[in-house]
Amino acid sequence: AMAEVEELSRLLQSALETDGQIADTADWAEKVGVPHTSVIGLCKSLASSCFIETSPLSRTCPAVTEDGKRSAAEGSPEAIVWGLVPKDGGILSDELATAAGAASKIGLAKAIEKKWLTVVKEAAPDDEQAAPEGDGKKKKKDEKKRVLRAVDAIEDTVQEQLKSLLAGGTVPDDQFALLQKRKLASMVTIKSLKVQPGAQFSNFGQKAQADLTHEMIVKGTWSEAVFKPVNVAAGGGAPPGG
C-alpha cells in the first residue's frame, strides 16, 4: 500500500508540474484509474505539509442505482415480464408471477400501461371448482387471469436510457424524472478538490519535521529541513488565579 501511495504522489506531483493544477480530483482519479477516496486522503496529507493547496468543489450529477444497473444489464422489469409471456396463448398470471420473481408486479403493471400486454379473465377448469359448502351452496368459481401479448415486438427505452447514463450520456429531464421515480437513477453530489502547488511545493514529498532539534542545529541540516506549519495564533491556557 505504501508503494501505491508513493506512486500516486508521484503522479500528482507530475500533473501539477505539467499543468499547474488539477482542476477536479474526481475527474483526475478516474483518468489515472485510482479510487477517488485514495486521492482525497493523499491530498489531505500533502496539504497539511503545505506541498499543495486545495479548494473544495461540489457538483451534482446523474447516477444509476443498483436496480438501475440490473435493468441496464438484463432489461427493464416490463421487458423481462413481456419476454416471459408466450407469443401464442399467453400465460396464467400466477405462473407469470412465479417466473418473473421480483420483477413481476412492477413489470406487469408497466407492460400493461405501455400496452405491451393485456390481461383477460377466464373461468377455472371444471376440476378446480369448489366442493359444495356445508349449507349446500356452491362457492363462486375461481376466476383465473391470463396474460397475453398485445404487441409482437417491444423497444426497451428504459434499458437504453440507463445504458446511456452509465456511458456518461444524458437523457431528457422528463425521462430522467421517471427513472428517479422508479428508483432506477438518482442525482448524487460529488465532493472533490481543486489542487494547486503549495508554498512548500519545491520540497514536495520531504517528510515535514514538527520541531527544530538540537541535532539539526549541530549538523546544519535545519536549513534543508521542511517544517510543519506552526499555529502562532493559538492561545495558551489561562493561568490559574493567584
Side-chain angles (χ1 to χ4, degrees):
M2 196 66 198
E4 284 170 21
V5 173
E6 282 174 12
E7 171 64 9
L8 186 56
S9 184
R10 198 182 55 72
L11 285 171
L12 191 136
Q13 181 183 12
S14 162
L16 290 175
E17 282 168 350
T18 310
D19 305 321
Q21 66 168 25
I22 290 171
D24 189 327
T25 50
D27 295 338
W28 187 75
E30 204 172 308
K31 186 174 137 192
V32 298
V34 296
H36 188 220
T37 47
S38 303
V39 176
I40 293 290
L42 176 65
C43 286
K44 282 182 177 172
S45 166
L46 293 171
S48 71
S49 297
C50 298
F51 296 137
I52 61 169
E53 275 179 20
T54 64
S55 16
L57 301 172
S58 177
R59 60 188 156 111
T60 54
C61 62
V64 177
T65 63
E66 287 307 311
D67 283 346
K69 286 175 187 169
R70 199 173 303 117
S71 290
E74 300 167 13
S76 66
E78 53 267 42
I80 290 171
V81 168
W82 182 87
L84 290 168
V85 176
K87 197 157 61 176
D88 301 315
I91 186 173
L92 288 171
S93 62
D94 46 6
E95 288 173 20
L96 177 61
T98 306
S104 76
K105 197 174 176 187
I106 181 75
L108 183 59
K110 289 288 175 190
I112 292 169
E113 188 185 304
K114 291 178 177 180
K115 298 185 167 54
W116 290 356
L117 297 173
T118 55
V119 179
V120 293
K121 288 179 179 175
E122 58 181 47
D126 286 344
D127 60 354
E128 283 189 26
Q129 282 181 30
E133 297 211 340
D135 58 6
K137 286 180 186 167
K138 276 194 171 183
K139 264 192 356 193
K140 185 173 174 285
K141 281 197 251 178
D142 278 339
E143 279 184 327
K144 295 269 185 181
K145 288 179 181 174
R146 184 168 288 277
V147 182
L148 301 166
R149 280 191 180 185
V151 290
D152 295 329
I154 59 166
E155 193 183 334
D156 193 356
T157 50
V158 168
Q159 183 183 34
E160 293 310 313
Q161 288 167 348
L162 292 166
K163 279 181 172 176
S164 169
L165 286 173
L166 284 171
T170 56
V171 299
D173 288 350
D174 59 332
Q175 296 298 306
F176 185 78
L178 292 173
L179 293 176
Q180 265 187 301
K181 198 174 170 189
R182 292 182 64 177
K183 298 187 165 52
L184 297 173
S186 63
M187 289 302 285
V188 294
T189 302
I190 295 176
K191 291 191 182 297
S192 56
L193 298 170
K194 178 184 175 183
V195 182
Q196 291 171 296
Q200 292 289 345
F201 187 71
S202 59
N203 298 314
F204 194 95
Q206 280 188 41
K207 186 164 167 45
Q209 306 294 328
D211 297 299
L212 178 65
T213 64
H214 176 69
E215 188 185 14
M216 286 180 199
I217 296 167
V218 173
K219 290 186 175 173
T221 53
W222 64 270
S223 59
E224 265 90 61
V226 176
F227 293 96
K228 285 184 178 171
V230 177
N231 181 6
V232 291

